[in-house]
Amino acid sequence: MKFVIQKHRASTEHYDFRLRVGDALKSWAVPKGFSTDPREKRLAIATEDHPVDYLDFEGVIPEDEYGAGTVMVWDIGDYRNLKDDSIEDAIADGHLTVWLEGKKIQGGYSLIRTDFGRDQESWMLVKMDDEKADARRHPVSTEPDSATTGRDLEEIREQSQ
Ligand code: MN
């Protein structure tokens, strides 16, 4: 199944992590994006499901629509569920572990629901300590451009007008 990590410059810049599950994209907003260091925990806020055809969307969401701003496909690829439970059950239980095969992000990642959020669902995103873990890589800052078109956010915005 496919996953995408979209860089989204809306009111604040963040990364939207989406997993295809059945006929929907299960989604989390990750303010700081993905780390490859297993010691770093990244906040992930569960957001609404998106339609499957949004998976490779790159462009501008107009001012008057939900999520207004520029969207980049920062990374995309296949994932597989590393747990014995179905991915649906793992999400419902608040603990999933997936193996990602992206262009920038690879290896195991866990998402664990926490009780920190009040009116929103907070999760923690953590890199598994596997052969793809690397505390020296910082792909969010060193590989900022689109995984599909090589464009930066400004180029996507200009070319969408
Ligand atoms: Mn977003």
Side-chain angles (χ1 to χ4, degrees):
M1 289 298 239
K2 292 282 182 193
F3 80 95
V4 67
I5 304 167
Q6 282 158 321
K7 182 157 41 170
H8 187 188
R9 183 176 286 167
S11 48
T12 57
E13 192 169 300
H14 58 273
Y15 293 78
D16 289 300
F17 178 42
R18 308 188 197 280
L19 295 175
R20 176 155 188 191
V21 176
D23 289 331
L25 299 176
K26 293 289 171 189
S27 301
W28 291 262
V30 184
K32 290 184 170 176
F34 276 61
S35 174
T36 52
D37 182 348
R39 294 168 304 182
E40 283 197 32
K41 295 181 173 68
R42 294 282 164 96
L43 174 66
I45 309 290
T47 56
E48 63 193 45
D49 291 0
H50 275 55
V52 167
D53 63 6
Y54 193 72
L55 189 95
D56 58 357
F57 174 78
E58 189 168 87
V60 172
I61 302 174
E63 289 286 340
D64 54 346
E65 288 180 26
Y66 174 79
T70 308
V71 178
M72 170 200 289
V73 176
W74 184 77
D75 203 10
I76 193 165
D78 290 306
Y79 82 90
R80 64 177 196 272
N81 179 13
L82 291 180
K83 297 189 104 189
D84 293 333
D85 303 1
S86 70
I87 191 80
E88 290 90 345
D89 286 349
I91 292 171
D93 290 345
H95 190 168
L96 57 145
T97 304
V98 289
W99 184 274
L100 303 180
E101 287 287 347
K103 295 183 166 122
K104 300 170 184 172
I105 296 294
Q106 294 102 28
Y109 281 83
S110 277
L111 266 168
I112 302 145
R113 195 163 56 216
T114 69
D115 295 325
F116 302 157
R118 269 180 276 178
D119 41 359
Q120 51 191 11
E121 236 185 60
S122 298
W123 299 58
M124 283 291 174
L125 174 68
V126 189
K127 177 80 197 76
M128 298 288 89
D129 198 357
D130 54 34
E131 72 268 24
K132 298 296 186 184
D134 186 347
R136 294 161 305 178
R137 275 188 74 208
H138 298 284
V140 162
S141 49
T142 61
E143 299 171 67
D145 299 334
S146 169
T148 51
T149 65
R151 297 182 296 175
D152 63 23
L153 279 170
E154 204 53 33
E155 289 170 316
I156 294 167
R157 190 184 63 79
E158 285 166 3
Q159 291 167 8
S160 299
Q161 284 170 347

